[in-house]
Amino acid sequence: MNYTEYIITALLKRNIRAVELQETLGKFINQSMLLEEGLKKFHEERRPKLYVFSGLYPVETQSKLYKAGKVYVFRIRSLDEKMITSLISCMKEVSSETFQVLATEKKRVAYKPITELVTITPFIATIDNKPWMPNQHSIGLLVERMHMNAEKKYKTFYKEELNCSQFVQRVKITNRKPIAMTYKNIRLLGHKARIFVNSDEASQKLAFTVLGAGLLEKGSSLGTSFCFANFLKLN
């Protein structure tokens, strides 16, 4: 197992508020896909897209405003190396009012045992058309949704079933209040978490799938649940 990650350096061409950032990045990626017929068709398909992207770095923690004329870095990952490489080629060529890609760096990351996933961008989980909230819904329900989504992504890409009842050992929510993001003229509420992973082989495969393709919903449209991992230290 492996995933492909590109580190993208880009010039920001207009100011973007932090609450709008993930949607703006998603629109830029979608715009890039329109340059290539295969990617355009891929974008229109109703199935897990198997890619996820981060926010911009450095993070504008104080001002909450990403500034025109400043250079930022973001990351995009996918289990599908061919697709993501084609997408990066289009991102370099697209004429955008928001971003100009200056440089890209490609990394191919091989499977390693994972002890913990840490969400860098908020995760989105929808329960009965409403966002999962810790004061309204159980952690057990969230863990169930995490597993179902990871299993679906694994099956979509690898074309096989896994004998795994639950890959998540436990979850710790790390934000004090919900994190808002704009999406299609509404605000979605997300959360950040540490996800501790079971050690059996099937659980590890699902955790690695999450690392390469995102956790839960809207990873390809908003870059939600972009994770870093703490890997098992081998002697």
Side-chain angles (χ1 to χ4, degrees):
M1 294 180 71
N2 57 73
Y3 66 81
T4 301
E5 176 178 279
Y6 277 88
I7 303 169
I8 300 159
T9 303
L11 174 69
L12 187 59
K13 299 165 74 173
R14 66 173 178 85
N15 290 343
I16 302 173
R17 293 187 302 149
V19 72
E20 301 168 335
L21 176 61
Q22 296 305 124
E23 183 179 26
T24 304
L25 278 166
K27 287 179 178 179
F28 171 64
I29 292 167
N30 291 342
Q31 182 186 0
S32 302
M33 286 188 175
L34 300 180
L35 294 187
E36 203 267 321
E37 195 59 37
L39 288 175
K40 182 179 178 182
K41 182 179 178 182
F42 167 78
H43 172 64
E44 293 170 350
E45 292 176 350
R46 296 184 63 83
R47 65 180 181 89
K49 294 298 190 291
L50 306 177
Y51 71 87
V52 65
F53 53 93
S54 72
L56 296 181
Y57 300 89
V59 179
E60 300 290 1
T61 306
Q62 298 299 321
S63 68
K64 305 294 184 182
L65 182 71
Y66 291 84
K67 302 172 184 67
K70 189 171 178 178
V71 173
Y72 294 92
V73 172
F74 68 97
R75 297 169 184 258
I76 185 167
R77 295 179 186 152
S78 180
L79 301 173
D80 188 338
E81 182 177 11
K82 182 178 178 181
M83 182 280 296
I84 202 71
T85 300
S86 179
L87 172 58
I88 296 301
S89 296
C90 292
M91 288 173 64
K92 293 177 182 177
E93 302 297 328
V94 70
S95 176
S96 166
E97 296 179 353
T98 310
F99 296 100
Q100 179 186 344
V101 173
L102 303 177
T104 64
E105 177 187 349
K106 182 179 181 180
K107 295 171 61 179
R108 202 160 184 259
V109 181
Y111 166 83
K112 289 188 288 186
I114 294 168
T115 59
E116 178 186 1
L117 296 165
V118 181
T119 61
I120 305 304
T121 56
F123 69 79
I124 296 288
T126 303
I127 311 295
D128 298 327
N129 296 316
K130 295 181 181 179
W132 180 90
M133 300 292 285
N135 60 343
Q136 298 176 22
H137 306 101
S138 70
I139 288 287
L141 180 58
L142 177 64
V143 166
E144 179 183 311
R145 294 300 174 91
M146 287 178 175
H147 182 85
M148 290 172 59
N149 186 273
E151 205 168 45
K152 184 176 182 180
K153 288 172 180 173
Y154 181 91
K155 185 177 179 180
T156 297
F157 188 72
Y158 293 104
K159 312 298 183 188
E160 67 177 23
E161 300 275 359
L162 282 176
N163 183 19
C164 181
S165 60
Q166 184 51 256
F167 84 96
V168 176
Q169 186 181 103
R170 62 187 176 94
V171 174
K172 180 179 180 181
I173 304 301
T174 56
N175 56 290
R176 289 180 295 176
K177 59 182 181 179
I179 302 163
M181 294 171 284
T182 59
Y183 182 65
K184 296 184 177 180
N185 298 317
I186 63 172
R187 286 198 174 198
L188 296 178
L189 297 178
H191 300 272
K192 291 187 177 182
R194 295 171 63 188
I195 299 107
F196 299 89
V197 179
N198 288 318
S199 60
D200 61 279
E201 182 181 1
S203 293
Q204 288 292 311
K205 286 182 176 181
L206 290 179
F208 194 81
T209 297
V210 164
L211 193 59
L215 177 73
L216 291 166
E217 304 166 29
K218 297 193 175 2
S220 61
S221 53
L222 288 175
T224 48
S225 301
F226 182 91
C227 296
F228 282 164
N230 288 323
F231 294 102
L232 181 66
K233 294 181 180 178
L234 301 176
N235 294 329

